[in-house]
Amino acid sequence: MEKLRNLRKQRGYTQEYMSKIISTDVSNYSRKENDEVRIYDDEWEKLAAALDVPVEAIKEERATNVVHNDNSTFSDNSNSGNFYNQQFNVPDSIIENLQSYIKILEEKIVALKEENERLKK
């Protein structure tokens, strides 16, 4: 997400500042900016508004996710010294489903932390 990162830096905004705009923690925002975690449409809109640009100026489509498995479990000695390179395309629907579930869990964590603080008092 080079467009987003570059514009954020040009504006002098920190990842912490941007994370607050989309109501997430800094590490999750960093993963979003590094294209490790999906940025949802509503988050794109909030980020664009904060940067005072149209969404199209910062939004980039996600690349296809490919998993490289260099830890082979095969015992084929004919390729000893070589790594097996297996690629798996993970459907976007599965990634989106998991990201939605993670978002729900993050919200529950925040609620539980708040409840924990109330109970301590």
Side-chain angles (χ1 to χ4, degrees), residues 92-103:
D92 284 340
S93 60
I94 292 175
I95 292 171
E96 290 173 16
N97 188 356
L98 291 172
Q99 291 303 324
S100 296
Y101 186 63
I102 289 169
K103 192 171 186 176

Side-chain angles (χ1 to χ4, degrees), residues 20-31:
K20 290 178 182 176
I21 289 169
I22 59 172
S23 303
T24 191
D25 57 66
V26 178
S27 64
N28 192 44
Y29 176 82
S30 177
R31 289 191 299 271

Side-chain angles (χ1 to χ4, degrees), residues 2 27 30 37 50 55-56 64 75 77 97-98 111-112 117-118:
E2 287 297 314
S27 64
S30 177
V37 176
V55 172
E56 297 77 30
T64 304
S75 59
N77 291 331
N97 188 356
L98 291 172
L112 288 170
E117 287 302 313
R118 278 196 315 272

Side-chain angles (χ1 to χ4, degrees), residues 101-118:
Y101 186 63
I102 289 169
K103 192 171 186 176
I104 290 168
L105 292 175
E106 288 173 339
E107 292 170 358
K108 288 188 182 255
I109 289 169
V110 169
L112 288 170
K113 283 181 179 178
E114 291 171 357
E115 182 179 355
N116 192 22
E117 287 302 313
R118 278 196 315 272

